[in-house]
Amino acid sequence: MAYSWFKAFHLVGIVVWFAGLFYLVRLFIYHVEAEQEPEPARTILKNQYQIMEKRLYSIITTPGMLVTIAMAIGLLSTEPEVLKQPWLHVKLAFVVLLIGYHHYCKRLMKQLAANECKWGSQQLRALNEAPTIMLILIVLLAVFKNNLPTDITAWGIFGLIIATAITIQLYAKKRRQDKEKLSAEISQVPQQQT
């Protein structure tokens, strides 16, 4: 029975943790893009994003990570023999990378608050794909364990995932170009005199 409780809350922790990681970097993107806004909107937006980032990191993302880790330890305590499995070693390596990513987000958050972040919105969009890739790999390892499929279906699914990521990036680029084009058109319209 303990195994089922640990597994249930491990899954809840994973969902909360990843939701936080996905949204946190999206807030970083908006935070960086707020720099292009005129005052006072720039300051208002940056202050609001800073508050949202801190709350998301402290109240949702970090507790989600801690629940995930605590429940994983609980799971391993009920089945210690699984620690000998190669798939788990690989999965744990990805989890360690994910924990590093989590803490790197904290560093970026501090840089944004101090106006010292060197990342552009495009770079942050690419960074935002990292937890998605790690989530896919971790789930595949947890489901298939040592029998990770390498047939044509698996490669087809992998291709769809890559195509989806590329489509999202292209859509974001198009939206940015449309916004820049609209801004240029608006700036060319002669202002009416009062």
Side-chain angles (χ1 to χ4, degrees):
M1 187 57 98
Y3 177 85
S4 297
W5 282 105
F6 288 138
K7 188 171 188 174
F9 283 99
H10 181 64
L11 292 172
V12 169
I14 290 168
V15 170
V16 171
W17 188 17
F18 275 92
L21 288 175
F22 292 148
Y23 190 48
L24 185 62
V25 179
R26 176 55 53 183
L27 287 175
F28 294 167
I29 293 166
Y30 298 149
H31 194 142
V32 166
E33 289 178 348
E35 194 62 46
Q36 299 167 1
E37 298 297 324
E39 286 295 350
R42 177 185 316 143
T43 301
I44 293 168
L45 287 170
K46 288 174 76 172
N47 288 340
Q48 186 60 41
Y49 290 136
Q50 190 173 336
I51 291 167
M52 293 169 70
E53 291 159 4
K54 283 181 183 177
R55 288 180 182 166
L56 178 63
Y57 189 86
S58 301
I59 299 171
I60 296 172
T61 312
T62 299
M65 177 187 70
L66 295 174
V67 168
T68 300
I69 293 168
M71 295 302 107
I73 292 168
L75 283 167
L76 292 173
S77 72
T78 63
E79 291 187 333
E81 67 279 356
V82 78
L83 284 168
K84 297 174 185 171
Q85 298 292 320
W87 70 269
L88 185 63
H89 300 163
V90 176
K91 179 185 171 194
L92 291 175
F94 283 119
V95 172
V96 168
L97 285 174
L98 194 60
I99 291 168
Y101 178 90
H102 177 98
H103 290 292
Y104 187 72
C105 285
K106 174 75 170 188
R107 183 174 173 200
L108 284 176
M109 194 168 64
K110 287 180 179 179
Q111 289 175 357
L112 284 164
N115 289 322
E116 297 172 353
C117 183
K118 305 290 187 233
W119 288 72
S121 62
Q122 265 313 100
Q123 293 168 310
L124 289 169
R125 279 186 174 82
L127 181 69
N128 202 25
E129 302 302 326
T132 304
I133 293 165
M134 285 189 266
L135 175 63
I136 292 166
L137 294 170
I138 289 168
V139 168
L140 288 175
L141 286 164
V143 170
F144 293 105
K145 299 183 178 12
N146 290 323
N147 299 316
L148 195 62
T150 56
D151 60 3
I152 190 72
T153 304
W155 285 109
I157 292 169
F158 180 74
L160 285 173
I161 292 167
I162 298 298
T164 301
I166 291 170
T167 302
I168 290 168
Q169 293 296 324
L170 291 174
Y171 177 71
K173 183 177 180 179
K174 183 182 180 330
R175 282 185 46 215
R176 193 175 54 261
Q177 288 173 341
D178 289 348
K179 185 177 179 181
E180 290 170 0
K181 183 179 175 183
L182 182 62
S183 294
E185 289 173 0
I186 290 173
S187 67
Q188 291 177 356
V189 174
Q191 295 188 8
Q192 297 177 352
Q193 294 182 359
T194 55

mmCIF file of all heavy atoms in Angstrom, residues 66-105:
data_model
loop_
_atom_site.group_PDB
_atom_site.id
_atom_site.type_symbol
_atom_site.label_atom_id
_atom_site.label_comp_id
_atom_site.label_asym_id
_atom_site.label_seq_id
_atom_site.Cartn_x
_atom_site.Cartn_y
_atom_site.Cartn_z
ATOM 1 N N LEU A 66 10.435 19.158 -4.493
ATOM 2 C CA LEU A 66 10.698 18.485 -3.220
ATOM 3 C C LEU A 66 9.767 17.296 -3.005
ATOM 4 O O LEU A 66 10.203 16.233 -2.535
ATOM 5 C CB LEU A 66 10.585 19.485 -2.065
ATOM 6 C CG LEU A 66 11.641 20.594 -2.074
ATOM 7 C CD1 LEU A 66 11.355 21.613 -0.978
ATOM 8 C CD2 LEU A 66 13.041 20.029 -1.965
ATOM 9 N N VAL A 67 8.487 17.444 -3.367
ATOM 10 C CA VAL A 67 7.541 16.321 -3.253
ATOM 11 C C VAL A 67 7.966 15.191 -4.191
ATOM 12 O O VAL A 67 7.958 14.016 -3.809
ATOM 13 C CB VAL A 67 6.089 16.777 -3.540
ATOM 14 C CG1 VAL A 67 5.156 15.597 -3.723
ATOM 15 C CG2 VAL A 67 5.581 17.676 -2.423
ATOM 16 N N THR A 68 8.340 15.544 -5.411
ATOM 17 C CA THR A 68 8.793 14.543 -6.388
ATOM 18 C C THR A 68 9.976 13.743 -5.843
ATOM 19 O O THR A 68 9.977 12.508 -5.890
ATOM 20 C CB THR A 68 9.189 15.228 -7.715
ATOM 21 O OG1 THR A 68 8.058 15.921 -8.236
ATOM 22 C CG2 THR A 68 9.675 14.218 -8.739
ATOM 23 N N ILE A 69 10.964 14.446 -5.318
ATOM 24 C CA ILE A 69 12.159 13.781 -4.803
ATOM 25 C C ILE A 69 11.831 12.941 -3.569
ATOM 26 O O ILE A 69 12.263 11.785 -3.458
ATOM 27 C CB ILE A 69 13.263 14.816 -4.505
ATOM 28 C CG1 ILE A 69 13.755 15.443 -5.815
ATOM 29 C CG2 ILE A 69 14.417 14.185 -3.735
ATOM 30 C CD1 ILE A 69 14.630 16.662 -5.637
ATOM 31 N N ALA A 70 11.055 13.504 -2.647
ATOM 32 C CA ALA A 70 10.716 12.770 -1.416
ATOM 33 C C ALA A 70 9.938 11.495 -1.736
ATOM 34 O O ALA A 70 10.211 10.425 -1.165
ATOM 35 C CB ALA A 70 9.904 13.669 -0.481
ATOM 36 N N MET A 71 8.993 11.591 -2.655
ATOM 37 C CA MET A 71 8.194 10.412 -3.001
ATOM 38 C C MET A 71 9.029 9.394 -3.789
ATOM 39 O O MET A 71 8.816 8.189 -3.673
ATOM 40 C CB MET A 71 6.949 10.815 -3.798
ATOM 41 C CG MET A 71 5.959 11.666 -3.002
ATOM 42 S SD MET A 71 5.355 10.888 -1.499
ATOM 43 C CE MET A 71 6.208 11.827 -0.244
ATOM 44 N N ALA A 72 10.000 9.873 -4.571
ATOM 45 C CA ALA A 72 10.899 8.950 -5.273
ATOM 46 C C ALA A 72 11.738 8.167 -4.270
ATOM 47 O O ALA A 72 11.938 6.961 -4.423
ATOM 48 C CB ALA A 72 11.796 9.723 -6.239
ATOM 49 N N ILE A 73 12.202 8.852 -3.248
ATOM 50 C CA ILE A 73 12.955 8.166 -2.195
ATOM 51 C C ILE A 73 12.062 7.136 -1.509
ATOM 52 O O ILE A 73 12.492 6.008 -1.232
ATOM 53 C CB ILE A 73 13.539 9.186 -1.189
ATOM 54 C CG1 ILE A 73 14.623 10.017 -1.888
ATOM 55 C CG2 ILE A 73 14.086 8.476 0.054
ATOM 56 C CD1 ILE A 73 15.078 11.238 -1.109
ATOM 57 N N GLY A 74 10.796 7.507 -1.276
ATOM 58 C CA GLY A 74 9.844 6.558 -0.703
ATOM 59 C C GLY A 74 9.648 5.342 -1.596
ATOM 60 O O GLY A 74 9.637 4.198 -1.111
ATOM 61 N N LEU A 75 9.503 5.585 -2.892
ATOM 62 C CA LEU A 75 9.352 4.481 -3.847
ATOM 63 C C LEU A 75 10.568 3.556 -3.812
ATOM 64 O O LEU A 75 10.426 2.329 -3.809
ATOM 65 C CB LEU A 75 9.152 5.018 -5.267
ATOM 66 C CG LEU A 75 7.778 5.548 -5.620
ATOM 67 C CD1 LEU A 75 7.818 6.317 -6.936
ATOM 68 C CD2 LEU A 75 6.770 4.420 -5.697
ATOM 69 N N LEU A 76 11.745 4.152 -3.811
ATOM 70 C CA LEU A 76 12.964 3.343 -3.795
ATOM 71 C C LEU A 76 13.112 2.558 -2.489
ATOM 72 O O LEU A 76 13.664 1.457 -2.488
ATOM 73 C CB LEU A 76 14.188 4.229 -4.029
ATOM 74 C CG LEU A 76 14.295 4.836 -5.433
ATOM 75 C CD1 LEU A 76 15.441 5.832 -5.502
ATOM 76 C CD2 LEU A 76 14.440 3.751 -6.483
ATOM 77 N N SER A 77 12.583 3.107 -1.399
ATOM 78 C CA SER A 77 12.674 2.384 -0.128
ATOM 79 C C SER A 77 11.781 1.148 -0.113
ATOM 80 O O SER A 77 12.056 0.188 0.599
ATOM 81 C CB SER A 77 12.311 3.304 1.040
ATOM 82 O OG SER A 77 10.915 3.570 1.057
ATOM 83 N N THR A 78 10.722 1.173 -0.938
ATOM 84 C CA THR A 78 9.840 -0.002 -1.003
ATOM 85 C C THR A 78 10.346 -1.051 -1.988
ATOM 86 O O THR A 78 9.941 -2.204 -1.915
ATOM 87 C CB THR A 78 8.394 0.397 -1.399
ATOM 88 O OG1 THR A 78 8.396 0.954 -2.713
ATOM 89 C CG2 THR A 78 7.801 1.385 -0.402
ATOM 90 N N GLU A 79 11.191 -0.626 -2.944
ATOM 91 C CA GLU A 79 11.750 -1.537 -3.951
ATOM 92 C C GLU A 79 13.238 -1.253 -4.149
ATOM 93 O O GLU A 79 13.657 -0.807 -5.217
ATOM 94 C CB GLU A 79 11.032 -1.358 -5.291
ATOM 95 C CG GLU A 79 9.608 -1.819 -5.331
ATOM 96 C CD GLU A 79 9.055 -1.757 -6.759
ATOM 97 O OE1 GLU A 79 9.530 -0.947 -7.572
ATOM 98 O OE2 GLU A 79 8.159 -2.550 -7.041
ATOM 99 N N PRO A 80 14.071 -1.482 -3.147
ATOM 100 C CA PRO A 80 15.496 -1.133 -3.277
ATOM 101 C C PRO A 80 16.232 -1.888 -4.382
ATOM 102 O O PRO A 80 17.230 -1.391 -4.905
ATOM 103 C CB PRO A 80 16.075 -1.456 -1.898
ATOM 104 C CG PRO A 80 15.091 -2.361 -1.255
ATOM 105 C CD PRO A 80 13.756 -2.091 -1.860
ATOM 106 N N GLU A 81 15.716 -3.047 -4.788
ATOM 107 C CA GLU A 81 16.393 -3.821 -5.835
ATOM 108 C C GLU A 81 16.377 -3.112 -7.188
ATOM 109 O O GLU A 81 17.212 -3.386 -8.053
ATOM 110 C CB GLU A 81 15.791 -5.230 -5.961
ATOM 111 C CG GLU A 81 14.365 -5.275 -6.464
ATOM 112 C CD GLU A 81 13.296 -5.006 -5.401
ATOM 113 O OE1 GLU A 81 13.631 -4.848 -4.220
ATOM 114 O OE2 GLU A 81 12.120 -4.937 -5.771
ATOM 115 N N VAL A 82 15.447 -2.176 -7.387
ATOM 116 C CA VAL A 82 15.366 -1.454 -8.651
ATOM 117 C C VAL A 82 16.596 -0.554 -8.851
ATOM 118 O O VAL A 82 16.919 -0.177 -9.978
ATOM 119 C CB VAL A 82 14.035 -0.657 -8.751
ATOM 120 C CG1 VAL A 82 14.087 0.627 -7.938
ATOM 121 C CG2 VAL A 82 13.695 -0.331 -10.191
ATOM 122 N N LEU A 83 17.286 -0.236 -7.770
ATOM 123 C CA LEU A 83 18.488 0.591 -7.873
ATOM 124 C C LEU A 83 19.595 -0.073 -8.692
ATOM 125 O O LEU A 83 20.534 0.598 -9.119
ATOM 126 C CB LEU A 83 19.020 0.939 -6.480
ATOM 127 C CG LEU A 83 18.236 2.024 -5.741
ATOM 128 C CD1 LEU A 83 18.651 2.090 -4.283
ATOM 129 C CD2 LEU A 83 18.432 3.371 -6.422
ATOM 130 N N LYS A 84 19.472 -1.347 -8.939
ATOM 131 C CA LYS A 84 20.472 -2.067 -9.726
ATOM 132 C C LYS A 84 20.182 -2.022 -11.224
ATOM 133 O O LYS A 84 20.979 -2.492 -12.022
ATOM 134 C CB LYS A 84 20.533 -3.530 -9.266
ATOM 135 C CG LYS A 84 20.966 -3.684 -7.823
ATOM 136 C CD LYS A 84 20.871 -5.121 -7.381
ATOM 137 C CE LYS A 84 21.197 -5.235 -5.887
ATOM 138 N NZ LYS A 84 20.912 -6.558 -5.362
ATOM 139 N N GLN A 85 19.049 -1.457 -11.611
ATOM 140 C CA GLN A 85 18.625 -1.441 -13.010
ATOM 141 C C GLN A 85 19.287 -0.291 -13.786
ATOM 142 O O GLN A 85 19.251 0.864 -13.345
ATOM 143 C CB GLN A 85 17.104 -1.294 -13.095
ATOM 144 C CG GLN A 85 16.333 -2.430 -12.458
ATOM 145 C CD GLN A 85 16.515 -3.714 -13.246
ATOM 146 O OE1 GLN A 85 16.521 -3.709 -14.469
ATOM 147 N NE2 GLN A 85 16.667 -4.815 -12.519
ATOM 148 N N PRO A 86 19.862 -0.566 -14.959
ATOM 149 C CA PRO A 86 20.518 0.479 -15.757
ATOM 150 C C PRO A 86 19.573 1.618 -16.169
ATOM 151 O O PRO A 86 19.985 2.773 -16.200
ATOM 152 C CB PRO A 86 21.030 -0.274 -16.993
ATOM 153 C CG PRO A 86 21.081 -1.703 -16.598
ATOM 154 C CD PRO A 86 20.036 -1.893 -15.546
ATOM 155 N N TRP A 87 18.324 1.289 -16.502
ATOM 156 C CA TRP A 87 17.394 2.334 -16.926
ATOM 157 C C TRP A 87 17.205 3.371 -15.827
ATOM 158 O O TRP A 87 17.060 4.567 -16.111
ATOM 159 C CB TRP A 87 16.043 1.744 -17.356
ATOM 160 C CG TRP A 87 15.241 1.188 -16.209
ATOM 161 C CD1 TRP A 87 15.260 -0.096 -15.750
ATOM 162 C CD2 TRP A 87 14.330 1.898 -15.370
ATOM 163 N NE1 TRP A 87 14.414 -0.230 -14.674
ATOM 164 C CE2 TRP A 87 13.828 0.980 -14.422
ATOM 165 C CE3 TRP A 87 13.885 3.213 -15.322
ATOM 166 C CZ2 TRP A 87 12.907 1.336 -13.432
ATOM 167 C CZ3 TRP A 87 12.967 3.573 -14.345
ATOM 168 C CH2 TRP A 87 12.485 2.646 -13.409
ATOM 169 N N LEU A 88 17.205 2.922 -14.571
ATOM 170 C CA LEU A 88 17.012 3.854 -13.461
ATOM 171 C C LEU A 88 18.223 4.771 -13.310
ATOM 172 O O LEU A 88 18.070 5.958 -12.999
ATOM 173 C CB LEU A 88 16.742 3.111 -12.150
ATOM 174 C CG LEU A 88 16.419 4.037 -10.972
ATOM 175 C CD1 LEU A 88 15.134 4.823 -11.240
ATOM 176 C CD2 LEU A 88 16.287 3.246 -9.690
ATOM 177 N N HIS A 89 19.413 4.257 -13.561
ATOM 178 C CA HIS A 89 20.610 5.098 -13.493
ATOM 179 C C HIS A 89 20.522 6.228 -14.523
ATOM 180 O O HIS A 89 20.857 7.379 -14.216
ATOM 181 C CB HIS A 89 21.870 4.265 -13.728
ATOM 182 C CG HIS A 89 22.046 3.176 -12.722
ATOM 183 N ND1 HIS A 89 22.899 2.113 -12.924
ATOM 184 C CD2 HIS A 89 21.479 2.951 -11.505
ATOM 185 C CE1 HIS A 89 22.856 1.312 -11.888
ATOM 186 N NE2 HIS A 89 21.988 1.790 -11.020
ATOM 187 N N VAL A 90 20.075 5.892 -15.731
ATOM 188 C CA VAL A 90 19.932 6.907 -16.785
ATOM 189 C C VAL A 90 18.840 7.900 -16.393
ATOM 190 O O VAL A 90 19.015 9.119 -16.524
ATOM 191 C CB VAL A 90 19.621 6.243 -18.147
ATOM 192 C CG1 VAL A 90 19.377 7.290 -19.216
ATOM 193 C CG2 VAL A 90 20.759 5.310 -18.552
ATOM 194 N N LYS A 91 17.725 7.377 -15.889
ATOM 195 C CA LYS A 91 16.622 8.251 -15.466
ATOM 196 C C LYS A 91 17.085 9.204 -14.373
ATOM 197 O O LYS A 91 16.798 10.410 -14.418
ATOM 198 C CB LYS A 91 15.447 7.414 -14.968
ATOM 199 C CG LYS A 91 14.277 8.243 -14.484
ATOM 200 C CD LYS A 91 13.192 7.375 -13.886
ATOM 201 C CE LYS A 91 12.145 8.269 -13.230
ATOM 202 N NZ LYS A 91 11.250 7.531 -12.366
ATOM 203 N N LEU A 92 17.807 8.689 -13.397
ATOM 204 C CA LEU A 92 18.299 9.535 -12.306
ATOM 205 C C LEU A 92 19.287 10.584 -12.804
ATOM 206 O O LEU A 92 19.330 11.710 -12.284
ATOM 207 C CB LEU A 92 18.913 8.680 -11.200
ATOM 208 C CG LEU A 92 17.922 7.821 -10.410
ATOM 209 C CD1 LEU A 92 18.653 6.924 -9.417
ATOM 210 C CD2 LEU A 92 16.872 8.673 -9.707
ATOM 211 N N ALA A 93 20.055 10.255 -13.835
ATOM 212 C CA ALA A 93 20.963 11.243 -14.428
ATOM 213 C C ALA A 93 20.162 12.400 -15.032
ATOM 214 O O ALA A 93 20.525 13.574 -14.853
ATOM 215 C CB ALA A 93 21.846 10.589 -15.486
ATOM 216 N N PHE A 94 19.062 12.079 -15.707
ATOM 217 C CA PHE A 94 18.204 13.141 -16.252
ATOM 218 C C PHE A 94 17.551 13.948 -15.136
ATOM 219 O O PHE A 94 17.389 15.171 -15.246
ATOM 220 C CB PHE A 94 17.142 12.565 -17.191
ATOM 221 C CG PHE A 94 17.667 12.199 -18.547
ATOM 222 C CD1 PHE A 94 17.612 10.894 -18.993
ATOM 223 C CD2 PHE A 94 18.234 13.153 -19.377
ATOM 224 C CE1 PHE A 94 18.106 10.545 -20.241
ATOM 225 C CE2 PHE A 94 18.735 12.818 -20.623
ATOM 226 C CZ PHE A 94 18.675 11.508 -21.059
ATOM 227 N N VAL A 95 17.196 13.292 -14.053
ATOM 228 C CA VAL A 95 16.600 14.005 -12.910
ATOM 229 C C VAL A 95 17.627 14.968 -12.311
ATOM 230 O O VAL A 95 17.286 16.107 -11.970
ATOM 231 C CB VAL A 95 16.056 13.019 -11.852
ATOM 232 C CG1 VAL A 95 15.630 13.753 -10.589
ATOM 233 C CG2 VAL A 95 14.883 12.224 -12.420
ATOM 234 N N VAL A 96 18.878 14.546 -12.210
ATOM 235 C CA VAL A 96 19.929 15.429 -11.706
ATOM 236 C C VAL A 96 20.082 16.645 -12.629
ATOM 237 O O VAL A 96 20.205 17.787 -12.165
ATOM 238 C CB VAL A 96 21.266 14.672 -11.549
ATOM 239 C CG1 VAL A 96 22.424 15.619 -11.312
ATOM 240 C CG2 VAL A 96 21.166 13.666 -10.410
ATOM 241 N N LEU A 97 20.044 16.416 -13.939
ATOM 242 C CA LEU A 97 20.088 17.533 -14.896
ATOM 243 C C LEU A 97 18.900 18.467 -14.692
ATOM 244 O O LEU A 97 19.042 19.698 -14.757
ATOM 245 C CB LEU A 97 20.085 17.017 -16.335
ATOM 246 C CG LEU A 97 21.374 16.406 -16.855
ATOM 247 C CD1 LEU A 97 21.157 15.800 -18.244
ATOM 248 C CD2 LEU A 97 22.472 17.464 -16.908
ATOM 249 N N LEU A 98 17.745 17.891 -14.454
ATOM 250 C CA LEU A 98 16.535 18.682 -14.247
ATOM 251 C C LEU A 98 16.625 19.516 -12.972
ATOM 252 O O LEU A 98 16.202 20.674 -12.950
ATOM 253 C CB LEU A 98 15.316 17.753 -14.196
ATOM 254 C CG LEU A 98 13.959 18.397 -14.326
ATOM 255 C CD1 LEU A 98 13.825 19.138 -15.643
ATOM 256 C CD2 LEU A 98 12.878 17.341 -14.225
ATOM 257 N N ILE A 99 17.200 18.947 -11.932
ATOM 258 C CA ILE A 99 17.394 19.705 -10.691
ATOM 259 C C ILE A 99 18.375 20.856 -10.947
ATOM 260 O O ILE A 99 18.166 21.982 -10.472
ATOM 261 C CB ILE A 99 17.885 18.776 -9.559
ATOM 262 C CG1 ILE A 99 16.764 17.809 -9.160
ATOM 263 C CG2 ILE A 99 18.354 19.586 -8.345
ATOM 264 C CD1 ILE A 99 17.204 16.668 -8.254
ATOM 265 N N GLY A 100 19.413 20.602 -11.736
ATOM 266 C CA GLY A 100 20.330 21.670 -12.121
ATOM 267 C C GLY A 100 19.615 22.768 -12.906
ATOM 268 O O GLY A 100 19.845 23.961 -12.678
ATOM 269 N N TYR A 101 18.755 22.368 -13.824
ATOM 270 C CA TYR A 101 17.953 23.316 -14.603
ATOM 271 C C TYR A 101 17.078 24.161 -13.674
ATOM 272 O O TYR A 101 16.974 25.385 -13.828
ATOM 273 C CB TYR A 101 17.094 22.537 -15.608
ATOM 274 C CG TYR A 101 16.172 23.376 -16.447
ATOM 275 C CD1 TYR A 101 16.589 23.892 -17.669
ATOM 276 C CD2 TYR A 101 14.868 23.647 -16.043
ATOM 277 C CE1 TYR A 101 15.734 24.650 -18.459
ATOM 278 C CE2 TYR A 101 14.014 24.402 -16.823
ATOM 279 C CZ TYR A 101 14.447 24.907 -18.025
ATOM 280 O OH TYR A 101 13.611 25.660 -18.799
ATOM 281 N N HIS A 102 16.463 23.495 -12.707
ATOM 282 C CA HIS A 102 15.606 24.169 -11.724
ATOM 283 C C HIS A 102 16.394 25.277 -11.012
ATOM 284 O O HIS A 102 15.939 26.415 -10.909
ATOM 285 C CB HIS A 102 15.104 23.129 -10.713
ATOM 286 C CG HIS A 102 14.271 23.685 -9.609
ATOM 287 N ND1 HIS A 102 12.900 23.642 -9.640
ATOM 288 C CD2 HIS A 102 14.607 24.288 -8.446
ATOM 289 C CE1 HIS A 102 12.419 24.195 -8.543
ATOM 290 N NE2 HIS A 102 13.447 24.593 -7.799
ATOM 291 N N HIS A 103 17.593 24.947 -10.555
ATOM 292 C CA HIS A 103 18.407 25.926 -9.835
ATOM 293 C C HIS A 103 18.969 26.992 -10.772
ATOM 294 O O HIS A 103 19.154 28.148 -10.362
ATOM 295 C CB HIS A 103 19.508 25.229 -9.044
ATOM 296 C CG HIS A 103 18.968 24.449 -7.885
ATOM 297 N ND1 HIS A 103 18.386 25.036 -6.784
ATOM 298 C CD2 HIS A 103 18.878 23.117 -7.669
ATOM 299 C CE1 HIS A 103 17.986 24.110 -5.938
ATOM 300 N NE2 HIS A 103 18.266 22.944 -6.456
ATOM 301 N N TYR A 104 19.217 26.631 -12.021
ATOM 302 C CA TYR A 104 19.664 27.625 -12.992
ATOM 303 C C TYR A 104 18.556 28.652 -13.241
ATOM 304 O O TYR A 104 18.837 29.838 -13.422
ATOM 305 C CB TYR A 104 20.100 26.966 -14.301
ATOM 306 C CG TYR A 104 20.720 27.950 -15.252
ATOM 307 C CD1 TYR A 104 21.990 28.467 -15.000
ATOM 308 C CD2 TYR A 104 20.035 28.401 -16.373
ATOM 309 C CE1 TYR A 104 22.559 29.401 -15.849
ATOM 310 C CE2 TYR A 104 20.595 29.327 -17.228
ATOM 311 C CZ TYR A 104 21.866 29.829 -16.961
ATOM 312 O OH TYR A 104 22.420 30.770 -17.801
ATOM 313 N N CYS A 105 17.310 28.206 -13.218
ATOM 314 C CA CYS A 105 16.176 29.140 -13.361
ATOM 315 C C CYS A 105 16.174 30.157 -12.222
ATOM 316 O O CYS A 105 15.872 31.333 -12.440
ATOM 317 C CB CYS A 105 14.851 28.381 -13.400
ATOM 318 S SG CYS A 105 14.547 27.551 -14.968
#
